[in-house]
Amino acid sequence: LQRGDFDPRRVAFIEHPLPEEIQSPGDGASVQVLVHKNEYIKLQATTAGPSFLVLSEVIYPPAWEAAVDGKSVPIIKTNYALRGVVVPPGTHTVEFHYRSRALEHGRWVSMGLNGVVLLLLVVGVWLERRGRGSAR
């Protein structure tokens, strides 16, 4: 990095050895973004040999999961802060899902409390109307 010749398109720094040997992706290699949402990313990757795909997305291991063609694969910490996965040769669908227990729990608590507030609002309106009707 200090020499100034680091090319992140060609070199990736990882903390641990990869689970398998990779090759240069070759001239025909490509990656197409099919879906990019906050909690879901879907890519189509084509490569001639086993390759390493780096996303310029911050790694967050407790919640992000990766899959190649629906099969779970490990996310590898790359260049200190990014995500990388090994992609086998051929054309494959690579997906990243954000699944957080805390987020899901919070979502259900929020929906439940919204339901309670709506129920209390309906009961309050009903009691108000009932009180007006008996005051006549």
Side-chain angles (χ1 to χ4, degrees):
L1 288 174
Q2 290 178 341
R3 290 191 316 242
D5 61 352
F6 171 66
D7 182 0
R9 292 172 293 174
R10 303 262 178 235
V11 177
F13 292 100
I14 57 176
E15 293 181 343
H16 306 287
L18 294 174
E20 61 185 272
E21 190 172 322
I22 62 167
Q23 301 172 0
S24 174
D27 292 334
S30 67
V31 176
Q32 180 182 8
V33 178
L34 302 176
V35 178
H36 191 283
K37 297 180 179 180
N38 289 338
E39 73 286 346
Y40 177 69
I41 300 170
K42 183 176 183 178
L43 311 165
Q44 184 174 22
T46 301
T47 181
S51 299
F52 191 62
L53 172 67
V54 178
L55 249 64
S56 60
E57 297 274 340
V58 176
I59 189 167
Y60 188 66
W64 281 101
E65 299 172 357
V68 174
D69 295 332
K71 182 182 174 193
S72 182
V73 295
I75 296 176
I76 298 158
K77 187 176 182 180
T78 308
N79 295 345
Y80 187 70
L82 305 179
R83 290 181 236 160
V85 294
V86 175
V87 178
T91 299
H92 300 279
T93 301
V94 182
E95 296 174 287
F96 292 87
H97 293 271
Y98 184 82
R99 295 190 173 108
S100 168
R101 281 182 161 182
L103 180 67
E104 287 300 314
H105 181 72
R107 183 179 298 170
W108 284 107
V109 168
S110 177
M111 288 172 48
L113 290 174
N114 281 332
V116 168
V117 168
L118 286 174
L119 180 63
L120 289 173
L121 182 65
V122 168
V123 168
V125 168
W126 179 75
L127 287 173
E128 178 68 26
R129 288 188 178 180
R130 187 174 153 216
R132 284 187 194 168
S134 63
R136 291 185 193 176

